[in-house]
Amino acid sequence: MIKNFIIATTFMASAAVADTTVVNTGSDSGGFNAVMSMVADKLGTNVVQAGNPVIASSYFDGGDVVTMWSTEWPADDTLPQPTIDGDTIVALQVYETILCSREYASLADLNGETIKVATWGESPAVNKFLGELGTEVGATFEVVPYEGSGGTTRGYLGGDADTIFTIQTRQPKVEADGTCFAFSADGGLNFAFIDLILAVNASEETVATLRNAVTEMSATEAWQTSFEGTVTYVIDDANKADVVAKTNAAIQLNMN
């Protein structure tokens, strides 16, 4: 199981990190921009507002770069494909998921059942995951679709389905009428919504310093308030294999 790597460090921007280019691949008002802006402030630099991964990639050959990268993008071979591995991942920003029910209390209980499950209706990755999970536990999932986690929760609590697959931040409301019994946070579910803080063409020194910076930032009230509902996993020697496996699982579920 991945554990948060939160330590007290003193961050000092080296000459290499001072020259790092911070590139926002998203809009100038979204979550990616919020993360990259905090990173840039920490490094004492500015954010390059690329707006999409194609324009962002034009900065990749100019030296050390740190950016945000979606685990959906490797599935699109028309987009740039930076290296994503244990040497380039700085941290994951993750919405962990849960499976809960008022009818069932464990994955073993699902065997042989056809289960109506409230979840996202326009997510091929979620549908693929539920198909794979059904095969694994010997069940068939019939999706009762909603646009987001809020609608999914309301539909479940309203009785449209007896089982729900949603993000872990919804657990307190869901458990008002049911039991949550499987979690991505402990590896019981092989699906979470993951975005990467990624170093591109960066030196080992830069990557290490970026990891220390995100470790410090993720422990602050400003970070936790801005990204409420997410968990930040900063990579280190102890959790590297788990972080990479979690990332690869998300990428594979987005592949056709």
Side-chain angles (χ1 to χ4, degrees):
M1 179 179 73
I2 299 177
K3 296 182 179 179
N4 281 339
F5 177 55
I6 299 177
I7 60 174
T9 61
T10 301
F11 176 72
M12 298 179 63
S14 66
V17 173
D19 292 334
T20 299
T21 303
V22 181
V23 181
N24 175 31
T25 57
S27 73
D28 60 6
S29 61
F32 279 23
N33 183 62
V35 172
M36 290 293 95
S37 294
M38 288 191 182
V39 171
D41 287 346
K42 188 73 169 174
L43 300 183
T45 187
N46 297 313
V47 179
V48 174
Q49 297 291 355
N52 63 67
V54 174
I55 294 176
S57 68
S58 66
Y59 296 91
F60 288 175
D61 293 330
D64 292 356
V65 171
V66 61
T67 190
M68 287 289 285
W69 209 255
S70 171
T71 50
E72 294 181 5
W73 293 342
D76 186 344
D77 58 13
T78 69
L79 296 179
Q81 301 293 325
T83 301
I84 299 173
D85 60 24
D87 295 325
T88 63
I89 298 169
V90 175
L92 310 184
Q93 195 171 45
V94 181
Y95 280 99
E96 299 287 7
T97 62
I98 54 176
L99 188 66
C100 315
S101 182
R102 65 175 64 88
E103 183 75 17
Y104 308 103
S106 71
L107 289 173
D109 290 346
L110 307 181
N111 182 262
E113 300 289 330
T114 298
I115 300 144
K116 287 186 177 181
V117 57
T119 193
W120 297 272
E122 298 294 331
S123 174
V126 168
N127 287 323
K128 183 178 180 181
F129 164 69
L130 289 174
E132 292 177 355
L133 180 63
T135 298
E136 180 182 338
V137 301
T140 300
F141 289 103
E142 294 181 353
V143 169
V144 181
Y146 298 91
E147 280 193 22
S149 61
T152 298
T153 302
R154 289 189 293 273
Y156 167 77
L157 293 175
D160 294 346
D162 285 329
T163 302
I164 181 172
F165 176 64
T166 189
I167 55 176
Q168 190 165 355
T169 54
R170 297 289 176 178
Q171 183 175 353
K173 290 186 177 180
V174 169
E175 288 197 319
D177 186 19
T179 301
C180 297
F181 56 85
F183 304 83
S184 65
D186 63 9
L189 298 175
N190 197 29
F191 182 93
F193 294 98
I194 296 175
D195 293 312
L196 306 169
I197 302 175
L198 187 70
V200 183
N201 293 330
S203 67
E204 290 184 15
E205 178 189 5
T206 297
V207 174
T209 308
L210 289 169
R211 288 171 178 167
N212 285 340
V214 176
T215 294
E216 286 190 352
M217 289 188 294
S218 65
T220 66
E221 183 178 354
W223 182 281
Q224 293 167 11
T225 300
S226 297
F227 311 118
E228 186 177 4
T230 68
V231 181
T232 302
Y233 298 115
V234 182
I235 203 168
D236 71 347
D237 289 340
N239 68 15
K240 181 182 289 188
D242 287 335
V243 167
V244 172
K246 199 174 187 74
T247 302
N248 288 338
I251 290 172
Q252 287 301 314
L253 281 168
N254 283 291
M255 296 289 186
N256 293 328

